[in-house]
Amino acid sequence: MSVTPAHRPGVRALDVPRRSSRRSAKSELARLLNAEIDRRGWVQREAARQLGLTQPMVCALKKQRVHGVSLERMLQLLVELGLRVEIVIA
């Protein structure tokens, strides 16, 4: 799986080991989501408004608490932020 910012060149690859759980992939996606939120300078309230989430959900994501968000929803959030997401299964 790789994520490419649409506004920046290059590819940021997620290094998720083959034996890792779905939670590890979600944790890595949360890390990328948080990095983009931070890059934009958004506080939690602004991130929630921009992404259509509640502020408590953004707070949970900031703390890497990903159990309430599906893998699909996390991918959608990254796309909404203008990141190109590619999933490669090898």
Side-chain angles (χ1 to χ4, degrees):
M1 184 181 322
S2 64
V3 179
T4 305
H7 57 279
R8 288 182 262 161
V11 173
R12 287 187 286 174
L14 299 181
D15 184 20
V16 181
R18 183 175 273 183
R19 292 189 197 129
S20 70
S21 67
R22 184 177 284 181
R23 181 179 174 128
S24 295
K26 285 171 52 174
S27 293
E28 183 63 13
L29 291 173
R31 186 187 66 74
L32 291 170
L33 183 60
N34 288 326
E36 186 62 20
I37 289 169
D38 292 344
R39 189 192 71 73
R40 292 172 185 235
W42 290 345
V43 295
Q44 290 180 10
R45 182 178 293 155
E46 178 65 13
R49 189 178 71 76
Q50 294 286 340
L51 296 170
L53 301 172
T54 62
Q55 184 275 327
M57 181 60 73
V58 173
C59 181
L61 288 171
K62 291 296 252 179
K63 295 178 180 179
Q64 298 290 312
R65 294 183 184 148
V66 295
H67 61 275
V69 184
S70 70
L71 185 62
E72 180 181 10
R73 180 64 177 131
M74 296 193 72
L75 291 169
Q76 288 174 339
L77 290 170
L78 290 167
V79 169
E80 288 172 19
L81 287 171
L83 301 173
R84 190 176 118 227
V85 178
E86 293 179 351
I87 299 172
V88 177
I89 300 172

